[in-house]
Amino acid sequence: MDNSGHKKTRCESIRDFFTSAKFLIYMGHALSTWGDRMWNFAVSVFLVELYGNSLLLTAVYGLVVAGSVLLLGAIIGDWVDKNPRLKVAQTSLLVQNSCVILCGVLLMLVFQFKEQLVELYNGWILTVCYILVITIANIANLASTATAITIQRDWVVVVAGQDSSKLADMNATVRIIDQLTNILAPMLVGQIMTFGSHFVGCGFISGWNLCSMCVEYALLWKVYQKTPALAEKAGQKDQELKQLSPSRDVENGQSPEESSQPLMNETAVVTSPDSPKKEGCCYQVAEPMRTFKAGWVAYYNQNIFLAGMSLAFLYMTVLGFDCITTGYAYTQGLSGSVLSLLMGASAISGICGTVAFTWIRKKCGLIRTGFISGVAQLSCLMLCIASVFAPGSVFDLSISPFQDLYTHLMGEQSLPEADHSLISLNVTTVAPAEEMPPLQSYMSVSLLFAGVIAARVGLWSFDLTVTQLIQENVIESERGVINGVQNSMNYLLDLLHFVMVILAPNPEAFGLLVIISVSFVALGHLMYFRFAFKSLGSRLFLCCSPEQKVETADSLSLPTTV
């Protein structure tokens, strides 16, 4: 009798888990990221195919996406803050998936009738189709950004409640889902496009997003019903926060200097009664600019500003598995199969980093976890520095890193005949590996990828640390706008790293890019060290036991609504 009762309890526990708000968020996130990864992979391939195997449309799309998030990140976050949670999540979901479906249908029409469109009005109709595809895809990406902010940065915090360990576990699980979908989703859609066609690939992605949208919508509603706290939003209680702000500052131990820097929403509440109400056309037009400015000012005034900046600086690097590093690997004789194995190893390393984050945080606390992760990442990146000077490296500062840029701007006829062998990175990446000259040693490229893969453990653990610091230490009414500005900062540094590659695209200069990248990563971790030392002082170097560790919100003296 006791055994049956025990079994029933276990079955009920399993059932409760699979029907819990936490598991439903995982399911919704898995469906959402799977669709995102398929679309992000496929849209680049589609644009290359449409424009005659040229990277022009892909480059334009990447620039438009990055620029849009950079300019609109704060505005999107402010919209997330000022509207009810369910409305924000549902609207973002519907806009994102509808745009992907519409874009997929438009691409199917273009692939099917491309020859006719080329001849119609001298190809202007086809050009309009290109513009529509990029515009709609960009709107889908902005909606995806809003979805990520509201679910990963807000809903997860509310569902976790006041349990910091539960929040850390949820963040780690969400990141593991990201890692797995980042590998599996492109593999699936790639096989469909290979054995089917681009037309079939567009149809599959559109159909997937249609089905996924319905399921995600139902999951969001279930999570909202199971978590009553989601219905209550701090942004609707600004007046109460204004009245309670003096006592709140004293209770949290803030200095007069800290308490004299009002938060964005509180500033709006204080100043609005004293200023005349302006509803003119010019005032309304300038509203996005005021939101943009207020968002960045609020981000700068956060106590976790240095931690957020440190994360953004990690985006200024060529040491990742993007088109730049893989292109360089091709010039060094690595085959596509070897690169795919290395990407798999990188994903496994990232998953290990998420697991390590939860373990280290329990042992040493959240702030120390970021410090330890930064030291681990920098230590691994020393292998990349060593690869620049190792046997087999093509690093050569005697060759101007700007020579390829000069070649493209001035034309090859302006260069001496002997310089025509200096092909740019963009050209050498498309050359088959077997046509490249044999290398004396693979020591350099082996050290490079060993450092990149090993550093993923510290990178993902550090990313989770900063994410949770923002979740726990930014007040609820500003959570959206601060995360929106954080996304903008990430995209800004990411854009700068592409500019850096454009200025020095030849393989001989890649070693210089590696050194610059590691320098930016080191500078980012120095910012985090300053933040951590300011928060914990000399206690930063004392790895506390779980019973002795100081919680993040207490150590930062910040108000928290978690």
Side-chain angles (χ1 to χ4, degrees):
M1 193 70 179
D2 293 337
N3 291 336
S4 63
H6 179 69
K7 290 180 180 179
K8 184 178 179 181
T9 303
R10 184 181 301 174
C11 292
E12 288 178 348
S13 300
I14 296 174
R15 184 192 62 190
D16 290 343
F17 172 75
F18 284 110
T19 57
S20 64
K22 180 171 69 172
F23 180 77
L24 295 178
I25 279 188
Y26 295 156
M27 287 292 297
H29 181 69
L31 289 172
S32 178
T33 53
W34 187 279
D36 284 349
R37 298 301 184 271
M38 285 199 305
W39 172 247
N40 291 334
F41 171 80
V43 70
S44 299
V45 177
F46 293 153
L47 292 175
V48 170
E49 180 68 20
L50 285 175
Y51 208 68
N53 293 325
S54 170
L55 296 175
L56 178 61
L57 286 183
T58 305
V60 171
Y61 171 68
L63 182 63
V64 169
V65 165
S68 298
V69 177
L70 176 61
L71 294 175
L72 302 177
I75 298 173
I76 292 173
D78 184 65
W79 175 75
V80 171
D81 285 333
K82 289 182 177 179
N83 290 277
R85 287 190 174 97
L86 186 61
K87 176 185 175 181
V88 169
Q90 291 177 339
T91 303
S92 303
L93 176 67
L94 292 175
V95 171
Q96 176 192 357
N97 286 276
S98 298
C99 287
V100 172
I101 294 169
L102 180 60
C103 206
V105 173
L106 181 59
L107 284 170
M108 290 173 69
L109 294 174
V110 173
F111 280 122
Q112 187 69 21
F113 303 104
K114 184 178 180 181
E115 295 181 359
Q116 293 88 332
L117 292 173
V118 170
E119 299 174 356
L120 197 62
Y121 295 102
N122 295 323
W124 280 104
I125 298 298
L126 185 61
T127 302
V128 171
C129 290
Y130 293 156
I131 295 173
L132 285 175
V133 167
I134 292 176
T135 302
I136 297 172
N138 182 49
I139 295 173
N141 183 75
L142 292 175
S144 177
T145 301
T147 301
I149 291 174
T150 189
I151 300 299
Q152 299 180 39
R153 302 294 187 264
D154 186 29
W155 282 46
V156 167
V157 180
V158 177
V159 170
Q162 297 185 358
D163 192 338
S164 183
S165 296
K166 184 178 179 180
L167 178 60
D169 292 338
M170 291 186 70
N171 285 332
T173 304
V174 166
R175 198 52 49 87
I176 290 174
I177 293 172
D178 289 340
Q179 292 283 338
L180 293 176
T181 54
N182 200 33
I183 300 174
L184 300 177
M187 288 176 58
L188 174 63
V189 73
Q191 296 301 314
I192 292 173
M193 289 190 296
T194 301
F195 294 102
S197 65
H198 291 90
F199 181 85
V200 175
C202 291
F204 176 79
I205 293 175
S206 298
W208 173 275
N209 278 271
L210 179 60
C211 298
S212 177
M213 177 175 62
C214 300
V215 176
E216 289 178 60
Y217 197 93
L219 290 174
L220 285 175
W221 176 247
K222 284 288 186 183
V223 173
Y224 189 79
Q225 284 184 319
K226 289 178 175 292
T227 313
L230 289 172
E232 184 178 334
K233 199 161 188 178
Q236 301 167 356
K237 300 182 294 183
D238 282 336
Q239 192 64 35
E240 291 182 33
L241 288 174
K242 172 181 172 292
Q243 295 172 354
L244 296 176
S245 58
S247 59
R248 183 192 63 191
D249 293 334
V250 173
E251 289 173 2
N252 288 280
Q254 287 184 301
S255 63
E257 292 78 15
E258 289 173 326
S259 60
S260 65
Q261 297 178 350
L263 296 166
M264 188 180 69
N265 286 343
E266 292 172 357
T267 305
V269 173
V270 173
T271 57
S272 56
D274 300 329
S275 58
K277 189 175 182 181
K278 302 176 182 178
E279 295 182 352
C281 181
C282 295
Y283 183 83
Q284 295 297 328
V285 170
E287 181 67 25
M289 292 302 300
R290 287 194 299 274
T291 302
F292 177 85
K293 178 183 176 181
W296 283 84
V297 170
Y299 179 77
Y300 176 77
N301 287 332
Q302 297 294 319
N303 286 33
I304 44 86
F305 167 71
L306 286 176
M309 285 292 294
S310 67
L311 178 62
F313 266 63
L314 302 193
Y315 282 78
M316 177 67 176
T317 178
V318 297
L319 302 175
F321 280 90
D322 56 7
C323 55
I324 295 170
T325 308
T326 53
Y328 174 76
Y330 272 114
T331 68
Q332 302 307 295
L334 294 186
S335 64
S337 61
V338 172
L339 279 173
S340 64
L341 292 174
L342 292 175
M343 291 181 69
S346 173
I348 294 173
S349 178
I351 292 174
C352 292
T354 60
V355 175
F357 162 76
T358 57
W359 183 81
I360 298 173
R361 193 202 66 83
K362 291 177 181 177
K363 296 292 183 180
C364 303
L366 186 59
I367 295 180
R368 293 185 187 87
T369 301
F371 176 70
I372 295 170
S373 301
V375 172
Q377 184 188 8
L378 273 177
S379 300
C380 294
L381 290 180
M382 291 302 105
L383 293 175
C384 299
I385 295 292
S387 73
V388 176
F389 309 100
S393 173
V394 295
F395 180 56
D396 188 358
L397 286 179
S398 64
I399 300 175
S400 172
F402 308 105
Q403 186 159 358
D404 288 319
L405 181 65
Y406 179 80
T407 302
H408 289 292
L409 293 176
M410 304 301 295
E412 292 187 0
Q413 65 275 10
S414 62
L415 293 176
E417 186 69 25
D419 290 336
H420 286 181
S421 61
L422 300 175
I423 309 174
S424 70
L425 180 62
N426 290 334
V427 177
T428 52
T429 54
V430 293
E434 57 268 20
E435 295 180 6
M436 296 177 185
L439 300 176
Q440 294 181 351
S441 172
Y442 282 97
M443 177 65 73
S444 175
V445 71
S446 298
L447 285 174
L448 174 68
F449 280 97
V452 171
I453 292 172
R456 309 299 275 187
V457 177
L459 171 64
W460 287 109
S461 179
F462 183 81
D463 178 83
L464 284 168
T465 299
V466 176
T467 296
Q468 187 160 344
L469 281 170
I470 296 174
Q471 289 172 329
E472 292 186 347
N473 298 292
V474 174
I475 66 170
E476 188 176 326
S477 59
E478 288 190 331
R479 200 174 284 156
V481 70
I482 298 303
N483 280 286
V485 175
Q486 182 65 53
N487 284 344
S488 298
M489 282 299 306
N490 297 344
Y491 270 93
L492 174 61
L493 272 297
D494 193 46
L495 272 177
L496 290 179
H497 111 268
F498 280 111
V499 172
M500 179 175 66
V501 176
I502 291 172
L503 294 176
N506 55 307
E508 291 81 6
F510 190 78
L512 179 62
L513 302 185
V514 170
I515 295 173
I516 294 174
S517 298
V518 175
S519 300
F520 268 86
V521 172
L523 183 58
H525 287 305
L526 281 176
M527 290 181 183
Y528 185 84
F529 174 76
R530 182 182 176 185
F531 157 78
F533 192 79
K534 182 180 178 181
S535 302
L536 296 180
S538 59
R539 291 176 296 161
L540 174 64
F541 306 103
L542 301 175
C543 192
C544 304
S545 64
E547 294 78 17
Q548 296 174 325
K549 68 172 181 278
V550 180
E551 291 299 326
T552 307
D554 294 336
S555 63
L556 291 175
S557 298
L558 285 172
T560 175
T561 58
V562 179

